[in-house]
Amino acid sequence: MRKIIPAATGLLSFVLLVCAMLTPNARMQEIVGGPQTPVSAAGVFHTTASNLIIPQSHVYALHGQAEHIQISEVAADIRIVEQVATTTLDVGLTNPSDRQQEAEMLIPVPDGAVLRGFTFAGSAKEPTAKLLPKREAQAIYRSIVSKLKDPALLEFAGYNLVRSSVFPVSARGTQRVRLVYEHILRADGNRVDYVLPRSESFEATATPWKISLQVKSKSAISAVYSPSHQVTVDRPASEQALVRVAGEKKLEPGPFRLSYLVEGNGLTASLLAYPDPRIGGGYFLLLAGVPAGARAEASAIKREVTLVIDRSGSMKGEKIKQARAAALQVVEGLDDGEAFNIIDYSDSLARFAERPVIKDKQTIVQARSYIKRLNAEGGTNIHDALVEAMNQSPTPQMLPLTLFLTDGLPTAGETRESAIRNAVVAANTHKRRIFSFGVGFDVNAPLLTSISNATRATATFVFPNEDVETKVSQVFRKLSGPVLADPQLAMLDRSGVITTRAVRDLLPAELNDVFEGDQIVLLGQYQDNDPLHFRISGNYLGVPRAFDLKFDLDKATTRNAFVPRLWASRKIARLIEVISEAGADNATISRAGNRSAAHVSPVRAGGPFGPAANTAAVDPKLKELIDEIVRLSTEYGVLTEYTAFLALDGTDFSQRDALNEQARLSLVRNAQQTRSGMGGVTQSQNMTTQRTQSSANRSNYFLTQNMDRVEVTNVQQITDRTFFRRNDRWVDSSVLDREKNSKPDQIIEFGTPEFYKLVDRLVSEGRQGILALSGEMLLSIDGRTVLIKAPPKK
């Protein structure tokens, strides 16, 4: 195993100070070092600049000019070779004024960073840049903050600083500035971490960002993971990874974080922990990956795939054509020696073979002919089709997968949602994974989702303007190369004996199969500070194998604030799922998927509790779930379509019963009573996204029942704190319930010694990011309520 060198983590963001002009027809120049704009011995910042620009949105006109320099875009290109990261920032600037202006750049960088280049386009004086020590950088930060009367820049306090010379930007012109620096990345065991700091404020999302990253390692890379942003990862080779961040036009705020695991022996894993004495221990995130290219080994696990295809009358036309093409693509895509079967259904059933057959030249010819003859007619008997698929005799030593496709509600045979779900689960004695595909909006979305979730699979929805073949093939490609099948998790104590007391509230509660390119992201709570010993066992490339993963908790830190928040997000999704499943059979589903109070049945047959919107009494089990949803949503700032009302200014958090009742009504009317149509499908999509969430959703975005994307930006998740915007004041979620009726225990004025003492404390705790919030802040510090007064407006 290759040794990884521990080192300080990198943190990068930047501040641009802009002021004068650039001539056209520029050339590129580069130099590091040289004279700088003077800084006094006391650390007072002097500049001739007329503009101060904080990356993405913070622009200050220092001389009061109406038109100041703007940042048009930022591109970050990161190259990591054997744990050494080279970060290149390309910054686009525009000058909308008729005057020539100049710019100066300040870039916070990590300890140990080495400046490699600073360039801009122009024929003026040679550009220079100098690395300032942390103490001098802090003095400059404070000097600028005092001058601007805005504490936002202090979110970057605590880091070293690169300061450039002044460079020009021409009138009505543009400028490109490039800065390059290197640093050694922090490592923890087989995990290497990279951080690119960006502003925590939502105001920072106005500037387009492009972030790309390339990793090259001598050893194979088993997992690449970002807890902060959604990323796409390409693997041109086992020792390389190409990463791009999604959402370039409007990137989520906050630092970009990325970790990768260098391959060990089989399953490689790492642990990120957050201590929380309130629960007796804390929260953990277990990241694990399998060897890249493991499927190429001779003992790779073979698959048995059963296609269950809806051929009811509603599938006529283009849908049945696409379903045929999808079925053929799946069968053709199987390796020789793997097994398949086809079950097609309407109000009656038919099947290609009595049991799955081995793919060879003869069976593939027969399958093509069978698929070609599929025609759409009749009703939809989902119950019998799935039970028939589950009752097939299994193919020994193969992973049993079922691809189930439907475009309608059950209309023939057993039509009750709970009865279908329970029958399928009971019949699934061979542990088949059911990957459901709902075509169009006229499907029972919670039924498809719950069946897939219960069988270690996923549900996918094909919108009316989407292609069935494309969606099915996308899922099937991800099911190539099973590496670890039927994984089981156990916890061991110090003596190596299985224990049930080390961890709890694991999400997911059961691990899914791991295919080539997959990784495990397991979240949960640990009970004390004893080392954690995980044992993950299963069918590894056709051979039973167990992996023992041991981790000390001495590196648990509040800087891993994303861990409890991701756990809370998944937990809320799971609680909503329970409530949704309990609403089965309590109302009649219209063909349009709309449900009203008139449709609600008085019989609660769908679960332990059901809709109570028209009754005075609320089932205590339902109440308990909703109370927990509201509590977690408030504490962690994780809002859904059912709890978005909490973000409304004027919400009285001291009236918790009223808030819980409002959430209950929303959950009953939507999660329980809307099961098909656009509303049913979008809710299931939102729930699936949240229950498998591995990266932050800082903007709390979700799809409405009209397919509109909604974001909630007056609730901000920063480090391990949550803030609600309340009457031009940001309020810590932990004091919301008493904010209205109590006075703060302490008031701290901006710029006072007490203020900077608080800043120093926040820096030491890694929580200075909260200073990115503009306006007053009401914080909870050591159990006391502290009001941070905003600086006077100019």
Side-chain angles (χ1 to χ4, degrees):
M1 184 183 301
R2 185 174 64 87
K3 183 178 180 181
I4 300 179
I5 305 169
T9 188
L11 285 176
L12 177 63
S13 182
F14 58 88
V15 176
L16 295 176
L17 291 176
V18 185
C19 157
M21 79 184 267
L22 168 69
T23 57
N25 302 320
R27 64 183 179 87
M28 297 303 296
Q29 306 176 71
E30 177 171 2
I31 187 170
V32 179
Q36 306 295 309
T37 303
V39 178
S40 74
V44 177
F45 182 79
H46 298 290
T47 181
T48 58
S50 59
N51 294 268
L52 172 63
I53 302 176
I54 298 177
Q56 299 148 328
S57 68
H58 294 80
V59 180
Y60 300 95
L62 300 182
H63 296 173
Q65 67 274 24
E67 294 182 304
H68 47 68
I69 299 296
Q70 302 288 341
I71 300 179
S72 57
E73 65 174 345
V74 181
D77 180 73
I78 302 107
R79 305 294 176 94
I80 301 173
V81 179
E82 289 300 300
Q83 208 180 328
V84 177
T86 301
T87 300
T88 301
L89 283 178
D90 283 309
V91 184
L93 302 175
T94 60
N95 179 5
S97 75
D98 294 324
R99 296 184 303 104
Q100 302 172 0
Q101 301 193 55
E102 290 182 343
E104 185 175 332
M105 183 181 280
L106 299 177
I107 311 98
V109 295
D111 288 338
V114 178
L115 189 61
R116 292 303 185 195
F118 173 71
T119 65
F120 62 80
S123 58
K125 294 186 299 183
E126 292 183 339
T128 61
K130 182 179 180 181
L131 183 64
L132 304 179
K134 186 180 299 184
R135 185 171 182 178
E136 189 172 346
Q138 183 122 337
I140 290 177
Y141 283 135
R142 295 191 179 189
S143 176
I144 296 172
V145 166
S146 298
K147 181 177 180 180
L148 297 175
K149 305 299 181 185
D150 189 321
L153 184 58
L154 291 173
E155 68 171 309
F156 303 117
Y159 311 120
N160 293 342
L161 182 67
V162 171
R163 184 176 186 182
S164 77
S165 60
V166 173
F167 54 88
V169 182
S170 62
R172 301 290 179 183
T174 62
Q175 173 66 286
R176 303 290 301 185
V177 180
R178 170 174 290 184
L179 181 122
V180 183
Y181 79 97
E182 293 179 353
H183 70 294
I184 299 175
L185 301 182
R186 172 190 296 173
D188 183 355
N190 280 32
R191 190 187 81 243
V192 180
D193 300 323
Y194 175 88
V195 182
L196 174 67
R198 300 168 59 249
S199 176
E200 298 276 6
S201 172
F202 271 102
E203 296 176 8
T205 61
T207 298
W209 271 73
K210 295 180 181 179
I211 300 177
S212 60
L213 186 146
Q214 179 176 335
V215 182
K216 290 185 178 181
S217 174
K218 289 183 179 179
S219 302
I221 299 168
S222 63
V224 179
Y225 168 65
S226 173
S228 62
H229 293 79
Q230 293 184 16
V231 297
T232 58
V233 181
D234 293 324
R235 301 294 304 276
S238 61
E239 301 84 9
Q240 296 182 36
L242 303 178
V243 182
R244 290 192 178 276
V245 180
E248 292 179 350
K249 291 185 178 179
K250 189 177 182 182
L251 215 61
E252 289 270 294
F256 167 63
R257 302 177 184 276
L258 185 127
S259 299
Y260 65 92
L261 301 184
V262 177
E263 190 176 299
N265 182 19
L267 189 72
T268 305
S270 186
L271 192 83
L272 294 153
Y274 175 94
D276 190 344
R278 297 176 303 171
I279 63 172
Y283 297 86
F284 71 86
L285 184 154
L286 177 71
L287 174 65
V290 294
R295 185 186 179 220
E297 298 186 22
S299 58
I301 302 167
K302 295 186 182 299
R303 300 165 294 177
E304 175 209 273
V305 177
T306 299
L307 287 153
V308 182
I309 302 173
D310 185 349
R311 54 171 170 81
S312 61
S314 58
M315 287 286 291
K316 283 183 179 180
E318 194 62 29
K319 286 192 286 188
I320 194 65
K321 291 180 183 179
Q322 293 176 3
R324 289 194 205 107
L328 185 58
Q329 189 174 95
V330 169
V331 174
E332 298 270 13
L334 291 170
D335 295 334
D336 288 342
E338 294 188 311
F340 72 93
N341 200 1
I342 304 166
I343 297 175
D344 52 289
Y345 69 98
S346 57
D347 45 22
S348 62
L349 304 181
R351 55 184 172 177
F352 172 73
E354 185 68 22
R355 55 172 294 173
V357 299
I358 301 299
K359 179 191 173 184
D360 55 28
K361 292 182 179 179
Q362 180 180 2
T363 56
I364 195 65
V365 171
Q366 295 170 345
R368 290 171 186 154
S369 177
Y370 186 89
I371 292 169
K372 186 177 180 180
R373 295 196 301 270
L374 293 178
N375 290 311
E377 59 183 3
T380 309
N381 192 335
I382 290 177
H383 174 277
D384 289 2
L386 282 174
V387 170
E388 183 80 4
M390 298 303 101
N391 285 334
Q392 295 180 104
S393 298
T395 307
Q397 306 303 315
M398 290 194 186
L399 178 63
L401 308 174
T402 298
L403 306 185
F404 166 58
L405 186 148
T406 183
D407 82 325
L409 303 167
T411 60
E414 178 61 73
T415 61
R416 292 173 300 160
E417 178 183 329
S418 60
I420 295 172
R421 183 176 66 231
N422 294 338
V424 172
V425 172
N428 192 20
T429 56
H430 302 303
K431 298 182 179 179
R432 284 185 162 85
R433 282 66 162 148
I434 305 175
F435 292 85
S436 300
F437 296 86
V439 181
F441 294 132
D442 197 19
V443 295
N444 187 322
L447 172 62
L448 303 185
T449 301
S450 62
I451 287 175
S452 293
N453 291 346
T455 60
R456 297 187 180 188
T458 57
T460 301
F461 295 94
V462 186
F463 294 163
N465 60 339
E466 294 181 320
D467 188 274
V468 176
E469 179 186 0
T470 301
K471 277 296 187 76
V472 173
S473 63
Q474 286 173 349
V475 173
F476 185 64
R477 281 197 298 270
K478 295 178 181 179
L479 302 180
S480 65
V483 178
L484 180 62
D486 197 25
Q488 305 294 321
L489 174 67
M491 300 301 300
L492 280 63
D493 62 17
R494 290 180 178 271
S495 302
V497 178
I498 292 178
T499 177
T500 59
R501 296 190 294 271
V503 297
R504 66 182 180 190
D505 262 330
L506 299 181
L507 297 167
E510 191 174 35
L511 297 178
N512 288 351
D513 304 305
V514 181
F515 294 85
E516 186 177 10
D518 279 351
Q519 53 199 36
I520 295 171
V521 179
L522 176 67
L523 293 150
Q525 298 177 349
Y526 60 89
Q527 296 303 287
D528 51 43
N529 293 317
D530 289 339
L532 294 179
H533 184 173
F534 299 82
R535 174 170 291 170
I536 297 178
S537 58
N539 179 356
Y540 181 77
L541 296 174
V543 178
R545 188 169 173 183
F547 299 92
D548 285 316
L549 311 169
K550 301 178 182 180
F551 304 99
D552 290 326
L553 292 169
D554 56 345
K555 294 184 180 179
T557 171
T558 55
R559 296 176 188 269
N560 291 333
F562 56 86
V563 174
R565 207 179 302 276
L566 287 173
W567 175 89
S569 188
R570 289 190 182 184
K571 181 68 174 181
I572 290 170
R574 178 56 193 143
L575 297 174
I576 294 171
E577 279 183 343
V578 173
I579 293 172
S580 176
E581 290 174 4
D585 310 331
N586 287 288
T588 302
I589 306 179
S590 71
R591 298 301 297 180
N594 297 319
R595 303 180 68 167
S596 64
H599 292 129
V600 179
S601 166
V603 180
R604 293 186 290 183
F609 49 80
N614 301 319
T615 62
V618 178
D619 189 294
K621 294 179 180 178
L622 175 63
K623 182 180 184 303
E624 182 179 43
L625 294 175
I626 292 172
D627 289 356
E628 183 66 359
I629 289 172
V630 173
R631 184 189 72 81
L632 291 173
S633 298
T634 303
E635 179 176 349
Y636 292 101
V638 177
L639 304 186
T640 65
E641 56 202 295
Y642 315 105
T643 55
F645 67 88
L646 293 171
L648 296 174
D649 202 352
T651 300
D652 189 351
F653 285 88
S654 66
Q655 302 297 316
R656 184 52 62 94
D657 289 343
L659 298 180
N660 292 345
E661 175 62 11
Q662 191 168 348
R664 183 187 71 82
L665 291 173
S666 180
L667 284 159
V668 167
R669 291 169 180 164
N670 296 292
Q672 290 194 334
Q673 295 181 4
T674 303
R675 309 193 79 76
S676 66
M678 282 197 296
V681 171
T682 54
Q683 286 184 96
S684 289
Q685 289 235 129
N686 291 334
M687 200 179 306
T688 297
T689 299
Q690 191 168 343
R691 76 183 296 273
T692 58
Q693 184 179 339
S694 297
S695 60
N697 178 12
R698 295 272 305 264
S699 57
N700 278 309
Y701 68 84
F702 57 84
L703 293 177
T704 69
Q705 296 194 18
N706 294 322
M707 300 293 294
D708 296 323
R709 178 184 167 113
V710 171
E711 296 182 353
V712 182
T713 58
N714 53 345
V715 173
Q716 296 217 20
Q717 309 163 359
I718 299 182
T719 63
D720 56 355
R721 299 292 183 100
T722 297
F723 295 89
F724 285 70
R725 187 73 169 177
R726 314 270 293 166
N727 296 321
D728 295 326
R729 173 188 292 178
W730 289 103
V731 180
D732 192 327
S733 64
S734 62
V735 301
L736 281 169
D737 56 349
R738 61 183 186 274
E739 172 241 352
K740 185 177 180 180
N741 300 314
S742 62
K743 294 182 179 181
D745 297 313
Q746 182 181 4
I747 297 176
I748 297 179
E749 297 285 347
F750 169 81
T752 61
E754 290 79 8
F755 173 79
Y756 283 110
K757 183 178 180 181
L758 174 62
V759 170
D760 291 340
R761 174 172 174 173
L762 293 175
V763 169
S764 68
E765 296 172 349
R767 294 186 171 106
Q768 67 268 33
I770 67 175
L771 297 169
L773 297 174
S774 59
E776 291 186 347
M777 284 185 289
L778 192 63
L779 302 175
S780 177
I781 301 176
D782 297 332
R784 302 173 71 243
T785 304
V786 179
L787 175 64
I788 313 299
K789 297 288 287 185
K793 295 182 180 180
K794 292 185 178 181

